[in-house]
Amino acid sequence: MEMVGKLAGVSQVTVSRALNDPSKVSKATMAKIQEAIAATGFVPNALAGALASNRSRLISALVPSVTNITHAAMVQSFTERMRSHGYQIMLSETGFDSKEEEALIGAHLSRRPDAMMLTGARHTPAARRMLLAANLPTVEIWDVTDTPIDLCVGFSHVDAGAVVGRFAAEQGYRTAACVTAADERALRRKDAFCAAFHTETSVRPETVVTEGQASLRSGREGMSTLLDLGFKQGVVFCSSDQLAHGLMIETRARGLRTPEDIAIIGFGDQDFAAHTLPALTTVRVDRVELGSRAADALLGRLEHGDAPQAPINIGFEIIRRDSA
Amino acid sequence: MEMVGKLAGVSQVTVSRALNDPSKVSKATMAKIQEAIAATGFVPNALAGALASNRSRLISALVPSVTNITHAAMVQSFTERMRSHGYQIMLSETGFDSKEEEALIGAHLSRRPDAMMLTGARHTPAARRMLLAANLPTVEIWDVTDTPIDLCVGFSHVDAGAVVGRFAAEQGYRTAACVTAADERALRRKDAFCAAFHTETSVRPETVVTEGQASLRSGREGMSTLLDLGFKQGVVFCSSDQLAHGLMIETRARGLRTPEDIAIIGFGDQDFAAHTLPALTTVRVDRVELGSRAADALLGRLEHGDAPQAPINIGFEIIRRDSA
DNA sequence: CTGTTAGCGCGTTCAT
DNA sequence: ATGAACGCGCTAACAG
């Protein structure tokens, strides 16, 4: 900046101002500074800027998995919204372990982000403490809770499971099962589904928990396991559309029909769900809306100093297609 | 740090040393410092540290799309490797536009990363200039080029297309087509495929370029378009497994069989490719290997001051399954 | 509209 | 093994 200033015939501060608030600099000097910047190839040092101003214009975002398309769509809309307001996103994967999340929260906090986005509402006590101590705008997404750290935008996984359980019963199914990934939120949906289905029909659904990431493969394996367990003629609720698609394929590979023999319900309404054969009945969560609402909540805090908000429940919706 | 030091009865420098090089501090003071850190909930300011040391321990990574599983797997292995060496990844999506990539490169550079990972080998001249001027270890992945900015780990898209073209001819197909996303690298594969197939058979493949992100949906649409164009009985090379899967579904929806009526070849060998029905014939690129090789190249530079390396071509492999 | 001064919280160097 | 002094590149006051 010193160099740029010298080249433009002004002081270093003026260059700083030209970059941060052009309105505070005259047209003429502005032009000279632009020219000097182009000539030197100067790239401002945001590190130093952040240190001096105590504002990094960095937002931390922690998601369980980048590979998981569900979260990817949310993150994308979140990122876009934040970026349009001049913030940059620092994205990291927390994986399955909440201990790892804790470590990552520390690593992110050390970069002094202006705000933080977390997936889920369950964190280690230490993580909670760090976040509270850091005293920065924080938004938890993809779940709702009575005890948010700060902001919260999501939906109730218990409600979702229960609604699907009742839906399954209403459709006349009298046998049901769950194939679910070993994800804490997915398991809560499963439990609620089973409880609701049991309430309506007095039958308790079978459960298969798959290992690792949800995928076509684990879906096929899950269906396989279920069939080997003697399951037949009924509906299966899956913890994701990926899994559901895998179930459909395995069903067909076994010479069974969907939905006549095995009806299948997914979760997430990912963009492929409408285009499988048969088209997948699933639960839609407006991920784009979720991401941008989360961003808005943070921006309100960041730019307008808004007061803390109550948790926002954006709900969900059963999308009835052909698979159940 | 000042505070922590006071609490531990030492100076700020000692705290700094305790954190960065524990071997330079006595056991006794180390313990006191640990205690003081726990008591205060101190989180080091990496911004200040980076400014003072001129090392941010931050690596920039730019990919076209996080949603795209292909790149996600690479990024994941890259990230893991880097993280195990104490580096944090700053990931951003560049989207389709290379102008946008240029802007992002600037934004990332301003955070003073220690190194940079770029997807692809085509960048705007301005982007190249910035990178060169920044003079930091840079690795371009997912492509090879004779004029790398610095490090380069990838494979030849032209070779890949050509090999698949010859493979298709060898399998006895005398009609062929390409359904491809409007991605620069995918288009290069397509051109090479068409040229090779033409050389072998004297027939020039039909081409359909889909819009937007590759998805099941765009795959179905692509197949639909192709069929409406009068395509029948032949092989179709797709720019991704996603697309290929979409083609398979549309084929079945139209009452046609794979591979008897329409044979389908994907690209990427994503984890679902082995589990579609029929299992997908595709091209495998070892994305995990690619990510970790890229990380290693950077780490060699960062930690051991290795000299620039020639581009690394990790190649690819046709995986023959049932769809072609 | 522009310049001066004083830090931001650390790592680095040189002492001891 | 520890401490004192300095500066990284920038922004925030204040003054003119």
Side-chain angles (χ1 to χ4, degrees), chain B residues 255-279:
Chain B
L256 299 169
R257 293 158 308 162
T258 299
E260 295 83 352
D261 299 314
I262 307 282
I264 296 173
I265 305 175
F267 189 86
D269 192 30
Q270 269 151 43
D271 52 4
F272 67 81
H275 304 282
T276 55
L277 207 60

Side-chain angles (χ1 to χ4, degrees), chain A residues 117-131:
Chain A
M117 189 207 88
L118 260 31
T119 308
R122 311 273 175 111
H123 315 285
T124 67
R128 265 190 93 89
R129 239 179 295 127
M130 293 175 80
L131 255 7

Side-chain angles (χ1 to χ4, degrees), chain A residues 221-275:
Chain A
E221 290 171 356
M223 183 81 253
S224 220
T225 306
L226 202 56
L227 260 15
D228 293 349
L229 251 39
F231 184 85
K232 62 183 80 157
Q233 288 288 117
V235 62
V236 187
F237 177 41
C238 305
S239 66
S240 74
D241 288 349
Q242 294 280 344
L243 236 38
H245 195 183
L247 263 76
M248 277 180 38
I249 290 175
E250 183 63 20
T251 299
R252 185 155 58 89
R254 300 262 193 145
L256 299 170
R257 294 157 307 162
T258 300
E260 294 82 353
D261 300 314
I262 307 281
I264 296 174
I265 305 175
F267 188 86
D269 192 30
Q270 270 151 42
D271 51 6
F272 67 80
H275 304 282

Side-chain angles (χ1 to χ4, degrees), chain B residues 102 184 305:
Chain B
E102 181 183 315
E184 185 266 319

Side-chain angles (χ1 to χ4, degrees), chain A residues 169 173-176 194-205:
Chain A
Y173 297 107
R174 286 301 169 264
T175 316
C194 291
F197 192 80
H198 179 251
T199 301
E200 302 288 327
T201 65
S202 298
V203 354
R204 209 170 282 288

Side-chain angles (χ1 to χ4, degrees), chain A residues 61-65 70-71 74-75 92 94-96 98 101 105 116-124 127-128 131 138-157 183-186 188-189 290 294 311:
Chain A
L62 264 32
V63 295
S65 156
T70 311
H71 302 132
M74 275 185 323
V75 169
S92 283
T94 54
F96 301 99
S98 77
E101 189 198 45
I105 290 177
M116 192 127 194
M117 189 207 88
L118 260 31
T119 308
R122 311 273 175 111
H123 315 285
T124 67
R128 265 190 93 89
L131 255 7
T138 300
V139 61
E140 294 167 278
I141 64 167
W142 200 243
D143 203 349
V144 287
T145 170
D146 294 332
T147 54
I149 296 177
D150 182 14
L151 275 9
C152 180
V153 184
F155 63 95
S156 164
H157 292 264
D183 171 80
E184 184 265 318
R185 288 173 289 276
R188 259 189 284 148
R189 292 197 296 271
L290 210 167

